[in-house]
Amino acid sequence: MALEITPTLAGFGATVAGVDLREPLSRDLTAAIREAWLKYQVLAFPEQPLSLAAFERFAGGMGEFGQDPYFKSMDGHPHVAEVRRDTDETTPIFAETWHSDWSFLATPPSATLLHSRIIPPIGGDTLFANQYAAWQALPDAMKRLLKGKMGIHSARRGYAPGGLYGANDKGRSMAIRYSEDAMATQLHPLVRPHPETGREALFISPGYTIGIEGMPEDEANTLLAELFSYQMQEDFIYRHKWSVDMVLMWDNRCLLHAATGGYDGYARLLHRITIA
């Protein structure tokens, strides 16, 4: 059966049918899925009741497994983490700040995959912001200003002992491991060409970009605040709605994403794999 790809109305993102991810995929089918992923940036595969082994096999076909430096993996599955929120949990929603996964690493991950196991009847959408489109729509003067500048990325706001998920984050069901290592910094260009498509995209986020190399802090903060507000304009956003047994795969190199709440009193559980 051929892939059936239905694009969203947001200008990026697509739903994929005509494939059973419980079965090993041929080389041609794997290549077709990767091609669609590069074209649409976010792919959703509904009605995929996968075992952990099948989820790992599919993810492994998309690339080498990446690292998740601040998550505890599941027992017996070193590349799978739980994105969990229990029924009575009152901690802040995990990953509610816009970000590109692990952009503070020297080589950030290409993709993230989630498989939904428990989905609440309300809320819990995931938002995506297209950074190809954000870059293309910038005025030429701003493009000239940003070209060649390096953003300073760090995990400190989330995963340092004093961060959002640090020592004072009590009662969270998700297995997060905070560390002093999160204080480290890493430089990346503010605008980067995608290594596979060649298209340029903004590569900054409120979650992990804390400054601009060589720019005074107050000046950098002003510029970053302007860019952060610009990045998340409605024209650039796709709101993804979940169903049980859905696999979602997105491209961290050209997208930002953010979780949403709105499901207090309900449990939510997804399995996550990062691709290097």
Side-chain angles (χ1 to χ4, degrees):
M1 182 182 294
L3 291 179
E4 302 169 15
I5 299 175
T6 305
T8 74
L9 299 178
F12 68 108
T15 299
V16 182
V19 61
D20 186 348
L21 301 184
R22 294 172 297 181
E23 303 296 329
L25 304 184
S26 68
R27 183 176 299 177
D28 286 348
L29 190 52
T30 297
I33 290 171
R34 286 196 97 262
E35 181 179 358
W37 170 59
L38 291 174
K39 179 177 181 179
Y40 295 106
Q41 295 100 60
V42 187
L43 295 182
F45 301 80
E47 300 178 3
Q48 300 287 345
L50 304 183
S51 65
L52 283 174
F55 183 40
E56 289 171 303
R57 182 178 60 235
F58 171 62
M62 296 298 107
E64 295 182 5
F65 292 115
Q67 57 179 305
D68 287 314
Y70 300 108
F71 294 163
K72 182 182 182 299
S73 61
M74 297 180 67
D75 291 343
H77 299 275
H79 304 296
V80 184
E82 287 188 327
V83 179
R84 170 186 290 275
R85 188 172 179 85
D86 290 344
T87 303
D88 57 353
E89 193 164 333
T90 59
T91 61
I93 296 294
F94 175 72
E96 207 170 19
T97 302
W98 286 96
H99 64 288
S100 172
D101 281 337
W102 305 153
S103 71
F104 51 82
L105 296 177
T107 306
S110 60
T112 304
L113 290 87
L114 293 177
H115 182 225
S116 56
R117 304 307 301 271
I118 300 172
I119 294 298
I122 55 173
D125 298 347
T126 301
L127 305 178
F128 292 93
N130 186 340
Q131 298 308 291
Y132 285 148
W135 170 251
Q136 290 169 353
L138 273 175
D140 288 343
M142 180 62 80
K143 287 182 176 179
R144 289 192 294 271
L145 175 64
L146 300 184
K147 270 294 186 76
K149 289 185 168 57
M150 304 290 283
I152 304 169
H153 294 243
S154 175
R156 64 186 60 182
R157 291 172 177 163
Y159 300 102
L164 182 61
Y165 311 118
N168 293 323
D169 186 40
K170 307 296 185 183
R172 187 173 296 278
S173 57
M174 195 172 162
I176 297 177
R177 291 176 165 173
Y178 63 86
S179 171
E180 287 286 355
D181 293 344
M183 295 302 295
T185 59
Q186 177 65 50
L187 296 178
H188 292 295
L190 298 183
V191 54
R192 301 196 315 169
H194 192 290
E196 295 186 76
T197 68
R199 297 175 65 188
E200 290 183 315
L202 283 175
F203 196 69
I204 56 172
S205 74
Y208 295 134
T209 310
I210 63 171
I212 299 174
E213 185 186 35
M215 187 176 289
E217 183 176 359
D218 57 345
E219 186 179 337
N221 287 341
T222 298
L223 177 57
L224 287 173
E226 179 182 352
L227 290 171
F228 293 157
S229 176
Y230 166 82
Q231 285 180 292
M232 276 68 81
Q233 291 183 69
E234 196 65 34
D235 288 348
F236 307 144
I237 290 179
Y238 160 56
R239 175 181 286 268
H240 178 75
K241 295 187 177 299
W242 289 90
S243 58
V244 175
D245 288 331
M246 175 178 282
V247 172
L248 195 69
M249 174 180 175
W250 68 83
D251 194 330
N252 284 298
R253 299 163 294 187
C254 54
L255 298 177
L256 300 182
H257 64 281
T260 67
Y263 54 95
D264 288 351
Y266 294 98
R268 188 172 184 265
L269 174 64
L270 304 97
H271 290 152
R272 167 187 164 132
I273 295 177
T274 302
I275 301 298

